[in-house]
Amino acid sequence: MKAVRLLQVGKPLEDAEIPVPQIGPSEVLIRVAAAGICHSDAHYRAGVSKIESLPVTLGHEVAGRVEHVGKDVSNVSAGDRVCVHYLLYCGSCEFCVRGLEQFCRSGQMIGKHRDGGYAEFINVPARNAFALPDEISFEVGAIMMCSSATVLHALNKARLRAGESVAIFGFGGLGFSALQLARAFDCGEIYVVEINPTKLASATKLGAVAIDAKSGDPVEQIKEATNGKGVDVSLELVGSAQTMRQAAQSLGVLGRAALVGLTAESMSIFPYTELINKEAEIIGVSDHLASEIPTLLEFVRSGKLRFPPGSLRVVDLDAGQVNAALDAVQHSIDHVRTVIVPKE
Ligand SMILES: [Zn+2]
Ligand SMILES: [Zn+2]
């Protein structure tokens, strides 16, 4: 079968011809119908995030049709439309038994630790395959399995309840999902903090209160807009110490800040005034859980989470096109996501 693979870190991906994977008794073979090209894939190619064993087929945002199932598989059948939960887990370690498989002692991510979806076929354990409702296209089924799933996990970690106010720091692809998902939780007022005027305008259009961080301290602006109270939940999606600090400072009494963006910088907090006195919480968010996928699928199926037309671009399963898309991802700031759709 055809696959687009990373052979050497720092070099472009290459076209390869490799065998169709064999499946074990509890696995499924999926014919890939769509594979999302993600920012992390650009990091793997560049060596910013380390990949231990090469060559590997990248691609962790995958949807397709089940081709074959192993003899012990009962949750899906050949011909089913499915999307793939990208984290493979043992199911029996101290974390897996508590439903926290993102900390699995032997967890493996597809498209990083083992071959992913930039290929005609992929094999995964059957429990990683989730039925994709007919209302959801393969392309959307692929891209929702990464950033949108992680944003949903962030809102769950922050224990967002109906009526609570939310501040979203950063309005790229993650922020766009965050706004809709927060609303799917029936949240109260949403404040979107950004410096990009186009993104602020699109947040306003979606009913959020735009907070222009260029025109003044966003924390002050949020305090003012909430009559000095601060917000119940804040989401940091930028990945900078400054916005993380602001996300914490924007909280009101019993507020929760969920940090999703990645940074190696350190941040400072005044424990008494900013946390203790308010019983506020700062929460780290890592990946998402298989148990959250059904809720996410239902939000997309019912139209509560949408990916607007024009937000998806399609390329062939071809190294040249995939590398060009990865180059674009490295520099791009727009909402457009690229999805590989292999030719039948
Ligand atoms: Zn991704
Ligand atoms: Zn485990």
Side-chain angles (χ1 to χ4, degrees):
M1 67 170 184
K2 272 185 78 172
V4 171
R5 313 192 84 198
L6 179 65
L7 305 186
Q8 222 186 322
V9 166
K11 292 273 161 58
L13 306 188
E14 291 181 29
D15 287 313
E17 196 64 39
I18 57 171
V20 173
Q22 300 286 320
I23 55 167
S26 58
E27 287 191 318
V28 294
L29 182 71
I30 296 168
R31 179 184 287 273
V32 176
I37 293 179
C38 179
H39 212 265
S40 349
D41 296 323
H43 286 330
Y44 300 145
R45 188 184 62 168
V48 177
S49 318
K50 285 264 175 304
I51 288 206
E52 293 95 33
S53 80
L54 291 173
V56 70
T57 306
L58 296 186
H60 55 271
E61 305 180 359
V62 184
R65 221 176 257 284
V66 176
E67 186 85 2
H68 291 303
V69 302
K71 65 174 176 48
D72 297 340
V73 172
S74 55
N75 63 322
V76 288
S77 325
D80 284 358
R81 303 173 81 247
V82 292
C83 52
V84 175
H85 176 47
Y86 61 55
L87 189 71
L88 273 55
Y89 52 99
C90 77
S92 55
C93 71
E94 55 178 308
F95 295 110
C96 284
V97 295
R98 289 154 67 198
L100 302 168
E101 77 274 1
Q102 80 271 48
F103 306 117
C104 177
R105 294 284 183 202
S106 50
Q108 286 195 319
M109 186 168 167
I110 63 166
K112 183 184 181 189
H113 302 110
R114 54 183 269 156
D115 285 338
Y118 291 7
E120 289 179 276
F121 294 96
I122 184 173
N123 62 314
V124 294
R127 66 175 172 216
N128 282 67
F130 286 80
L132 185 66
D134 288 337
E135 295 94 327
I136 307 177
S137 71
F138 284 122
E139 289 86 344
V140 167
I143 61 163
M144 59 179 265
M145 298 303 281
C146 183
S147 55
S148 305
T150 298
V151 168
L152 175 62
H153 184 56
L155 294 172
N156 283 332
K157 290 292 293 182
R159 309 185 303 280
L160 177 64
R161 286 182 295 259
E164 290 191 321
S165 56
V166 181
I168 298 170
F169 288 77
F171 202 61
L174 281 170
F176 199 72
S177 286
L179 188 154
Q180 298 177 75
L181 287 171
R183 197 161 281 149
F185 278 66
D186 293 320
C187 72
E189 199 72 79
I190 302 175
Y191 304 90
V192 167
V193 182
E194 250 298 340
I195 50 172
N196 178 317
T198 316
K199 292 179 180 180
L200 284 167
S202 102
T204 308
K205 227 183 195 168
L206 291 163
V209 176
I211 303 285
D212 181 357
K214 259 192 176 152
S215 75
D217 181 3
V219 177
E220 290 308 316
Q221 294 184 63
I222 288 172
K223 287 276 162 70
E224 199 173 283
T226 53
N227 296 320
K229 272 173 60 184
V231 289
D232 298 306
V233 165
S234 61
L235 293 185
E236 202 284 339
L237 308 174
V238 179
S240 97
Q242 188 192 16
T243 40
M244 287 181 182
R245 176 164 166 70
Q246 290 167 348
Q249 290 175 312
S250 305
L251 297 175
V253 167
L254 299 176
R256 288 89 64 202
L259 310 187
V260 180
L262 302 178
T263 180
E265 301 165 57
S266 72
M267 70 186 252
S268 60
I269 278 289
F270 293 110
Y272 179 60
T273 49
E274 292 174 356
L275 291 181
I276 297 167
N277 211 16
K278 301 191 278 192
E279 291 201 351
E281 298 169 54
I282 299 175
I283 301 167
V285 177
S286 179
D287 276 318
H288 56 270
L289 304 169
S291 59
E292 292 167 320
I293 303 292
T295 309
L296 184 69
L297 281 162
E298 181 49 27
F299 283 155
V300 179
R301 192 202 61 76
S302 61
K304 286 184 173 166
L305 175 58
R306 287 172 197 274
F307 300 84
S311 66
L312 280 176
R313 182 190 295 133
V314 168
V315 296
D316 295 334
L317 180 60
D318 167 86
Q321 294 184 39
V322 172
N323 282 311
L326 285 168
D327 295 343
V329 154
Q330 243 165 341
H331 308 112
S332 152
I333 50 155
D334 59 16
H335 285 155
V336 178
R337 292 293 317 273
T338 303
V339 178
I340 301 171
V341 174
K343 288 206 174 86
E344 292 261 331

